[in-house]
Every structure is written in C-alpha cells, then in structure tokens.
Amino acid sequence: MSTLTYPEAIGVGLLQGVTELFPVSSLGHSILLPAVIGGKIQQDLDMTADGSSYLAALVALHLATALALVVFFWRDWVRVVSGLISSARHRRVQTRDERLAWLLIISTIPVGVAGLALEKALRHALGKPVPAAVFLALNGLVLLGAERLKRGGTGRRRAGHAAPIDEPGLDPAIASDARLTKLSFGQGALIGAAQILALFPGISRSGVTMSAGILRGLHHEDAARFSFLLATPVILAASVLKVPELFKPENSAVLGPVAAGSVAAFVAGYISVRFLTKYFETRSLTPFAVYCFLAGVGSALYLSI
C-alpha cells in the first residue's frame, strides 16, 4: 500500500463511487479487479498483505461516497435530523419525519453490532479473490431471487407499502419518505439487518437491502431510496473507526493519492446516485443480477486456473 500511486487511487476511487451504490458490491470489485489485472496493481491493492493500509484507504473512499449521498439527500437528512430533535423534545414518534428518523436508527442497529463483531474476522478469512468471486455470483442470485419472488405472486409484496401518496403537489421525495414510514419498525430492522450480508466480500450492501425492501412490498424506487439512506450512517460510522489509521506515520505517503481518490469517489458516487434514483423508477435489479452472476463465475474460473 505504501506504493499506491495517484492513478491507482483515482481508479479505485471511481470504482468505489460506482460499485458502492450500484448493487454489485464495491468490496468485491475492489478485491477482484486488482487480482484479475495482476502485476504491480495486485501487489499495491492487496488488503490481506501484512501492513497493508488498503482497507483503511477504501474506507476513506467509502466516506467520500457517503458524503455524496449526504449532498444528494441533504433535504431528507434535514428532515430526519429535525424529526429526531422534535421526537426527543416532545417524547413522541408522531409525525412523518419523526417516524422516518427512528426507522433509520432502528434499522441501522443490527448491522452496526454485527460489523463491530464480525468485520475483521470476515475480512481476514474471506478478503481474497476467489471467495469474493463466489460471493459476487451469490449476490447475483440474491438479486434475481428478489425479482422472481416479487413477480411470482408469493404474497410478499404488499400494496399498502407501495401505494402512491395521493396528495396534490407533494414533492416526490417526501412522498417516497411517506411510503417508507408505512413500514413497521420490525420490518425496517429486518431490511436493515440484510446489510450484515454485505460484510461478506462480494455481497452488495445496496443490493441486499433493496432485495429485502422489495420482498417487503416496496417499489424499486422506494427500496433504492431506503437503501441509500441506510447506507449513509453505516459508512460514516465505519469511517470514524478506520480512517484514523491513514494518519499513522507509516501511511503518510498514501495521503495524497487517497485524497485524489476520494475526490474521484465523491464525483462518481454523486453521479451514480443521481442516475440510480431515476433508473429504479422504471427498471429492475435483473441486469445487475445477471452481471454479478456471470462476473463472479467468470472471475472464479479465471483465478482458479
């Protein structure tokens, strides 16, 4: 990691900004792509190597992506924070914003606890190319399964959650938040808990939370919105724990490249979330499912030869 170059950092930043929000697993791609390319890039971007700070650098790039989410959803976060303050002041959970604030908090607790307990062990055990390829293929099957179950008339999709909020002139973002608040706190916690699967390299955080949301009856656009809102506090919390490692004396040489990569991740993340919020208004997870399965199987075969 000490030899991380500016082109490598910018390339990884662009990759992170896109794959963190697209349901294709940023961690899986950050492990697989260097391994497939090989050579010096593989050596520089090996998070399992002794003394490697690549993981801390990735967390910094995640932070940049989270900041892109904050900027894109800033109006939502103003409402969420205002709702939390109002709820605490009046000791109630009554308004739409108050309920959304507590829904996000409760939905984030499971992955927060699991991340503290399991992240390091899973990274060391599975943060290698072949396991990441296998989990990427499994990620594709999860996405495809969510689409098939939703379309198969299993009864899991509940019209009440996806029904439009019929209020003339209501901002689409507020209408989406209103639909999300029709989830119970238990349902929100189950959707949030799906993020635990993303601790396995190759499983997409946004993909599994969107899949869980779709299976609970959310439209694709609402499931994507909830996924992006849920991801923000999780990524920010992880950054608080990991980013300080970059400021150790032995990592001083990578600060410049990581800063450049973070700018790239922010730009790519903002463009990605802007695109995906429109995409999921009319499209499904199926193309991403097919890509993940083929890329995962292909990578596993290539790396095993």
Side-chain angles (χ1 to χ4, degrees), residues 24-80:
V24 297
S25 177
S26 62
L27 184 55
H29 279 75
S30 297
I31 294 172
L32 281 174
L33 200 57
V36 170
I37 295 173
K40 184 177 183 299
I41 290 179
Q42 181 179 13
Q43 180 182 350
D44 292 346
L45 307 182
D46 182 1
M47 70 174 61
T48 62
D50 292 338
S52 172
S53 56
Y54 180 42
L55 182 63
L58 284 177
V59 173
L61 301 180
H62 277 67
L63 175 59
T65 308
L67 293 177
L69 288 173
V70 171
V71 171
F72 186 83
F73 290 110
W74 72 268
R75 293 180 180 86
D76 298 80
W77 285 111
V78 169
R79 291 196 299 271
V80 167

Side-chain angles (χ1 to χ4, degrees), residues 146 149-150 154-163 179-180 182-194 208-220 222-223 226:
L149 287 173
K150 179 262 298 181
T154 63
R156 293 176 182 270
R157 185 169 189 173
R158 301 181 181 182
H161 293 164
R179 292 192 293 271
L180 290 177
K182 291 184 177 293
L183 291 168
S184 69
F185 289 134
Q187 290 171 329
L190 286 174
I191 295 172
V208 292
T209 50
M210 281 192 62
S211 297
I214 288 169
L215 292 177
R216 297 310 307 171
L218 295 176
H219 277 317
H220 289 82
D222 294 338
F226 194 40

Side-chain angles (χ1 to χ4, degrees), residues 42-251:
Q42 181 179 13
Q43 180 182 350
D44 292 346
L45 307 182
D46 182 1
M47 70 174 61
T48 62
D50 292 338
S52 172
S53 56
Y54 180 42
L55 182 63
L58 284 177
V59 173
L61 301 180
H62 277 67
L63 175 59
T65 308
L67 293 177
L69 288 173
V70 171
V71 171
F72 186 83
F73 290 110
W74 72 268
R75 293 180 180 86
D76 298 80
W77 285 111
V78 169
R79 291 196 299 271
V80 167
V81 173
S82 298
L84 183 60
I85 293 173
S86 173
S87 177
R89 178 184 298 139
H90 299 291
R91 298 183 180 180
R92 70 183 189 192
V93 183
Q94 182 175 338
T95 69
R96 179 186 303 153
D97 295 339
E98 290 169 351
R99 184 169 179 79
L100 181 60
W102 283 105
L103 182 64
L104 290 172
I105 290 172
I106 292 171
S107 301
T108 301
I109 291 173
V111 70
V113 174
L116 290 174
L118 301 175
E119 184 271 337
K120 187 174 182 179
L122 291 176
R123 173 171 63 89
H124 283 291
L126 301 173
K128 298 177 177 63
V130 172
V134 172
F135 281 114
L136 183 62
L138 291 175
N139 184 72
L141 294 179
V142 169
L143 302 184
L144 185 61
E147 291 293 344
R148 297 290 291 180
L149 287 173
K150 179 262 298 181
R151 292 175 180 173
T154 63
R156 293 176 182 270
R157 185 169 189 173
R158 301 181 181 182
H161 293 164
I165 304 300
D166 189 16
E167 297 181 31
L170 188 63
D171 181 89
I174 297 177
S176 180
D177 289 347
R179 292 192 293 271
L180 290 177
T181 57
K182 291 184 177 293
L183 291 168
S184 69
F185 289 134
Q187 290 171 329
L190 286 174
I191 295 172
Q195 295 181 96
I196 295 172
L197 295 175
L199 295 173
F200 294 89
I203 302 294
S204 165
R205 183 195 313 278
S206 62
V208 292
T209 50
M210 281 192 62
S211 297
I214 288 169
L215 292 177
R216 297 310 307 171
L218 295 176
H219 277 317
H220 289 82
E221 60 185 297
D222 294 338
R225 185 180 187 83
F226 194 40
S227 173
F228 296 147
L229 290 174
L230 281 175
T232 307
V234 174
I235 298 172
L236 291 175
S239 301
V240 170
L241 295 176
K242 291 290 184 182
V243 169
E245 294 182 12
L246 282 174
F247 296 94
K248 294 179 179 179
E250 59 268 27
N251 295 326

